[in-house]
Amino acid sequence: MNTMGDGTRAVRAGLPEPEQFEPTLPGPVFAAHFHLSGEPTGPYTYGRDTNPTWTHLERAIGELEAPGEPVETTVFASGMAAISAVLLSQVRTGDVVVLPDDGYQALPLVREQLETYGVEVRTAPTGDDAQLAVLEGAKLLWIETPSNPGLDVCDVRRLVEAAHSAGALVAVDNTLATPLGQRPLELGADFSVASDTKGMTGHGDILLGHVTCRDPELAAGVRRWRKVVGAIPGPMEAWLAHRSLATLELRIDRQCATALTLAEALGRRPEVTGLRYPGLPSDPSYPKAVRQMRRFGSVVSFVLPDRERAERFLTELRLVDDATSFGGVRSTAERRARWGGDAVPEGFIRFSVGAESPDDLVADVERALDAAMGER
């Protein structure tokens, strides 16, 4: 499996052995309990613990995260459930956790919760590997690269080496890159975490998250946390996610190629500032990104002169939905400052490139920019 191309792997990942007259991908198993006589030693006992549909999906994600290697994946009801499972299963009162201060908008909520449990939380920006400066005595380092929404990139190998030397575990939020863009476990991380609501499933119709790690003890802690809090995905969501993985390479390749084309077009617009895309050779993150990423993601960010013109730009778009989240086959964009919590200008746009025809999408963006700037 480790010698196959990404497309082949995505199509075949997690499928059971062929069985005569059975579907290639079994349908979702809806069961709260299973037949269980005698000692409860089998794989499926109660629906909060295990489910055959989860098993197929977890195997599939594991094959994408670390082809040909023994890893364990645990799927969750959302990306935040996966993030919380790692942090809250691994740290105790008195421990030190290092988080990015420019990461996902909900991380400050996690910080507050950790601090109420007596955990010391330190933060530093993703860019320039700034988290290195606050690693001393840490139990766990949380990396988000590329960062959301600023798209800064840190050197995962460098941070992992420093963290492990200091006795800290390392978790990488790989949501924006997906395993086809970046494999944190290959870069040395202990945990690869993602919100599969985004690019992994890619259709904007389910909430899901996962945690993958090599160490069985670490995996057991994460899985136990899922059992304790009950943050489990529904079987239908798990089945839809597995079904969606088959088109992962097709979607990601189209989105990444178009994202680069869009970034190049935006770079020629005088009203656009603060343009970021890790795959753009002129981007500050490009030198690090090109060393550790195989694909650069579907998200482009940029700044328009003010809130009014940013909102007009979004209103003028015809092929792009004004919506949050990212990684879907339909392009979305939003004025990120409307949520609060992100240190971005009022005119900051996070643009998630979908699978539309590149020429159509770029033309729509160009027309909307002309309209927003008062040109017709």
Side-chain angles (χ1 to χ4, degrees):
M1 197 71 176
N2 59 325
T3 61
M4 291 182 179
D6 286 338
T8 305
R9 187 177 296 109
V11 168
R12 305 296 306 176
L15 297 181
E17 289 297 318
E19 188 172 338
Q20 189 77 345
F21 309 121
E22 292 296 321
T24 54
L25 177 62
V29 174
F30 299 100
H33 55 262
F34 302 82
H35 288 295
L36 185 66
S37 58
E39 294 299 316
T41 56
Y44 305 109
T45 57
Y46 183 62
R48 180 166 43 80
D49 297 339
T50 50
N51 177 290
T53 309
W54 303 349
T55 299
H56 294 311
L57 175 60
E58 289 172 343
R59 288 174 180 166
I61 293 173
E63 290 170 12
L64 296 174
E65 287 275 13
E69 298 185 36
V71 295
E72 293 190 31
T73 296
T74 305
V75 290
F76 289 87
S78 69
M80 278 307 299
I83 290 169
S84 300
V86 173
L87 288 164
L88 296 175
S89 70
Q90 301 301 318
V91 303
R92 304 289 183 270
T93 300
D95 286 341
V96 175
V97 170
V98 176
L99 301 178
D101 65 10
D102 55 349
Y104 179 54
Q105 185 192 35
L107 277 182
L109 300 177
V110 177
R111 174 179 184 166
E112 291 175 13
Q113 193 62 52
L114 288 169
E115 290 176 338
T116 65
Y117 293 152
V119 176
E120 179 186 343
V121 180
R122 302 172 190 159
T123 62
T126 298
D128 298 322
D129 300 340
Q131 289 173 297
L132 287 171
V134 292
L135 268 180
E136 185 178 353
K139 173 67 181 295
L140 190 145
L141 167 64
W142 188 273
I143 295 171
E144 184 179 306
T145 183
S147 61
N148 171 30
L151 302 182
D152 275 322
V153 171
C154 60
D155 187 331
V156 176
R157 291 185 183 91
R158 183 185 182 200
L159 285 165
V160 165
E161 182 178 349
H164 285 171
S165 296
L169 297 168
V170 180
V172 176
D173 184 333
N174 201 42
T175 300
L176 201 147
T178 80
L180 266 61
Q182 179 173 263
R183 293 188 183 131
L185 299 184
E186 289 185 0
L187 298 172
D190 301 289
F191 303 92
S192 180
V193 188
S195 169
D196 301 316
T197 308
K198 315 296 194 302
M200 281 286 275
T201 58
H203 291 78
D205 52 10
I206 59 175
L207 294 175
L208 201 79
H210 80 266
V211 178
T212 302
C213 46
R214 286 195 179 93
D215 188 323
E217 286 191 29
L218 296 179
V222 170
R223 199 170 290 266
R224 181 180 182 277
W225 184 261
R226 182 181 68 179
K227 178 177 180 178
V228 169
V229 300
I232 59 173
M236 190 66 195
E237 286 79 1
W239 184 86
L240 284 170
H242 197 170
R243 183 280 315 263
S244 299
L245 289 181
T247 60
L248 181 59
E249 187 195 45
L250 297 174
R251 292 185 281 108
I252 294 295
D253 279 353
R254 177 61 167 264
Q255 289 168 293
C256 291
T258 305
L260 180 58
T261 299
L262 177 63
E264 291 169 341
L266 289 168
R268 295 189 288 268
R269 300 287 304 212
E271 65 271 55
V272 170
T273 60
L275 175 65
R276 298 300 304 272
Y277 182 64
L280 199 61
S282 59
D283 189 275
S285 289
Y286 181 80
K288 288 180 181 176
V290 77
R291 290 198 301 268
Q292 66 191 26
M293 300 182 72
R294 297 179 299 130
R295 295 172 175 87
F296 300 104
S298 62
V299 177
V300 178
S301 67
F302 56 97
V303 180
L304 295 180
D306 52 42
R307 172 176 179 166
E308 180 182 358
R309 280 178 280 191
E311 291 182 346
R312 188 176 177 192
F313 165 71
L314 293 170
T315 300
E316 291 287 342
L317 290 166
R318 296 171 183 167
L319 301 179
V320 182
D321 296 328
D322 189 344
T324 195
S325 199
F326 57 86
V329 291
R330 288 174 289 278
S331 291
T332 60
E334 68 172 340
R335 193 181 66 81
R336 192 63 188 166
R338 66 180 175 174
W339 296 98
D342 291 319
V344 296
E346 287 294 327
F348 182 97
I349 302 293
R350 185 181 71 181
F351 196 112
S352 174
V353 175
E356 298 88 359
S357 297
D359 290 348
D360 294 338
L361 186 63
V362 172
D364 189 41
V365 170
E366 297 268 18
R367 183 198 51 76
L369 282 171
D370 289 343
M373 299 302 135
E375 301 173 16
R376 298 291 179 180

